[in-house]
Amino acid sequence: MASHIRLQGRLNEIMTTVFQRNSVAEEKRSAENQAAVTIQAWFRAVRVQNYICHLHQSATLIQKHWRGHQGRRVYRILIRNLVFVMRHNYFNAMATKIQKMWRGFYVRKYVFDYYSRKQYLEGLIVKNEIIRREIKESREQKDADSLRKMELEAQRKLEDYAAKHRYLLSTEVVPGIYNSPFKPYPDEMEFVLRKVKPHPPEKAKPKRDNRSGKIIADSPPLPLTEPLPPIGQKLQGPFRAPGEVQMQRFKPFQPTLRVATSYTATEEARAAMKAKEWVMRVNDNIFEPFSQRDRKYEPLLHTTSNYGHLQYGTRFFRETAESKNISHEVSSLDVWNMFELRLVELYFDLELASVENCAET
């Protein structure tokens, strides 16, 4: 009873303490909740990390076994190829040795003869001297012919030059440039100018029409006027011939560019350019998008699916399906080794047969 009375007396104090503690608990509730969430997140992260580590270890183990299987398979193929190459080189070396010994024996017995070779070399020396003498004579003859041709060409050029410049010849009144009065005798070119004759005037070529190709007739001669009274001295100067003046005065009209070219020249040039581009084209198949194609989709090579390659390692390897083996007792590798040995034996038999044929011949 006394305790109950004491508690009744401390009721306000107890209520104040409970209220204060509830207030402190409410204030720290969010922090405690956040701490609990952090602890749970860390624990779950540790669990997920351990699970991922376990998955990585499992994947690494699978990859290790698979790569080991692939490496052993490639290594077996490499060893088989190296053994085949080594055997092939060995048989080639043996065949080369047999051929070398047989050819040496044949050359020493039938081909090489000291006296016949000596006689051949002596005849070769004589023939060489004859050929050298003939080549020397031919060379001298060719040099003489070329020198004579050069002299004739120089003489022809000199005469041509003299015929074109015959107006430089001396006259009785006016001496030429090659006959100076200050020299005791004229120059050699003066005698060349006296000896040659001038070139005859060139005949004018008949003119043709550009379109039809017909020869254009000469224009009628100019009307002659009354002759002028004679003058005491001949006119001097570079006067042109009357025929050349007439040809220049009455020359035909030249067609314009619009008349000379075709109206369809642009289309013809474009068609020729397209034809040339088609000839130089490597591939005639024009690329079309899949949405505009009329034909069915063509599957890729070495596949059985309608949409692409199968997964690698499911149906490509003979080791995964024992039913594809040739025999359940003998593996495919043993069969290939036996077939390889048989090929090597056949190759060696052929080489031996060819050597025997060469020896018989």
Side-chain angles (χ1 to χ4, degrees):
M1 190 68 182
S3 299
H4 182 70
I5 293 171
R6 283 195 301 270
L7 290 174
Q8 286 290 336
R10 296 178 58 191
L11 182 62
N12 294 330
E13 183 181 354
I14 292 171
M15 292 294 292
T16 304
T17 305
V18 170
F19 180 75
Q20 291 178 356
R21 290 181 180 181
N22 287 336
S23 299
V24 173
E26 288 296 332
E27 290 176 359
K28 296 184 178 181
R29 185 185 298 275
S30 59
E32 291 176 356
N33 188 16
Q34 186 65 30
V37 170
T38 304
I39 294 170
Q40 291 175 2
W42 172 81
F43 180 73
R44 290 171 182 172
V46 169
R47 289 184 61 188
V48 171
Q49 289 175 1
N50 292 334
Y51 180 68
I52 292 174
C53 182
H54 172 69
L55 291 180
H56 285 177
Q57 291 177 358
S58 302
T60 303
L61 183 63
I62 295 171
Q63 291 175 0
K64 178 175 68 174
H65 285 284
W66 171 249
R67 289 171 181 170
H69 168 70
Q70 288 294 99
R72 287 188 293 273
R73 181 170 173 270
V74 173
Y75 181 73
R76 286 198 299 270
I77 295 173
L78 180 62
I79 291 297
R80 186 172 61 228
N81 294 337
L82 290 176
V83 170
F84 177 76
V85 171
M86 184 172 61
R87 291 176 180 174
H88 188 267
N89 293 336
Y90 174 74
F91 290 137
N92 285 342
M94 295 299 103
T96 303
K97 190 173 183 180
I98 294 171
Q99 292 174 2
K100 178 177 67 174
M101 295 177 66
W102 163 250
R103 288 170 182 170
F105 166 74
Y106 183 80
V107 168
R108 286 191 300 270
K109 186 173 182 181
Y110 298 103
V111 177
F112 184 76
D113 189 357
Y114 174 76
Y115 297 101
S116 61
R117 188 173 183 83
K118 184 178 179 181
Q119 185 178 1
Y120 168 74
L121 292 176
E122 291 177 356
L124 188 64
I125 291 173
V126 176
K127 187 175 181 180
N128 188 20
E129 291 295 333
I130 295 172
I131 292 175
R132 287 172 64 88
R133 185 169 60 253
E134 292 178 355
I135 291 174
K136 185 178 180 180
E137 293 176 357
S138 175
R139 183 63 184 176
E140 292 176 355
Q141 183 67 26
K142 286 184 179 180
D143 292 342
D145 294 342
S146 61
L147 182 61
R148 184 170 177 274
K149 189 180 294 185
M150 290 173 60
E151 291 177 354
L152 292 177
E153 184 67 20
Q155 182 68 21
R156 186 190 64 77
K157 289 182 179 180
L158 181 62
E159 292 178 357
D160 190 13
Y161 176 81
K164 290 180 180 180
H165 299 78
R166 201 169 182 275
Y167 60 87
L168 299 176
L169 185 63
S170 301
T171 60
E172 294 181 359
V173 179
V174 180
I177 60 174
Y178 297 108
N179 189 11
S180 176
F182 302 100
K183 292 184 180 181
Y185 52 86
D187 194 13
E188 183 180 359
M189 193 64 185
E190 181 71 20
F191 299 101
V192 176
L193 292 174
R194 293 177 184 177
K195 185 174 64 174
V196 299
K197 296 180 180 180
H199 289 310
E202 296 182 356
K203 295 182 179 180
K205 296 182 180 180
K207 300 197 69 178
R208 295 180 179 273
D209 190 2
N210 294 331
R211 295 185 177 179
S212 61
K214 297 181 180 179
I215 299 176
I216 301 175
D218 296 334
S219 59
L222 296 174
L224 299 177
T225 58
E226 295 181 359
L228 297 175
I231 56 179
Q233 186 178 1
K234 183 180 178 181
L235 296 176
Q236 296 183 0
F239 295 104
R240 299 171 64 184
E244 185 179 357
V245 176
Q246 281 187 353
M247 186 178 298
Q248 182 178 2
R249 183 174 297 178
F250 296 99
K251 65 181 180 180
F253 294 102
Q254 297 291 336
T256 61
L257 182 61
R258 185 177 64 83
V259 177
T261 57
S262 176
Y263 284 100
T264 60
T266 306
E267 290 78 5
E268 293 175 359
R270 188 178 292 108
M273 184 173 64
K274 286 184 177 180
K276 183 177 180 182
E277 191 270 336
W278 181 83
V279 170
M280 299 299 293
R281 191 183 302 165
V282 178
N283 188 4
D284 295 337
N285 299 327
I286 301 175
F287 177 77
E288 298 177 356
F290 288 96
S291 59
Q292 300 179 5
R293 292 188 180 180
D294 300 331
R295 57 184 183 275
K296 294 176 63 179
Y297 174 75
E298 299 177 0
L300 300 176
L301 190 63
H302 304 302
T303 58
T304 57
S305 174
N306 295 328
Y307 303 100
H309 284 289
L310 297 175
Q311 294 182 0
Y312 185 75
T314 57
R315 299 184 182 179
F316 290 123
F317 301 109
R318 187 176 295 173
E319 292 80 357
T320 58
E322 297 181 357
S323 60
K324 294 183 180 180
N325 293 337
I326 300 175
S327 175
H328 297 287
E329 298 177 357
V330 182
S331 64
S332 59
L333 183 60
D334 298 334
V335 174
W336 174 252
N337 290 334
M338 290 189 293
F339 178 71
E340 192 176 27
L341 291 174
R342 183 57 182 164
L343 285 178
V344 173
E345 291 176 358
L346 290 175
Y347 177 78
F348 185 73
D349 293 338
L350 290 174
E351 289 290 336
L352 187 59
S354 62
V355 171
E356 290 177 355
N357 292 331
C358 293
E360 289 177 1
T361 56

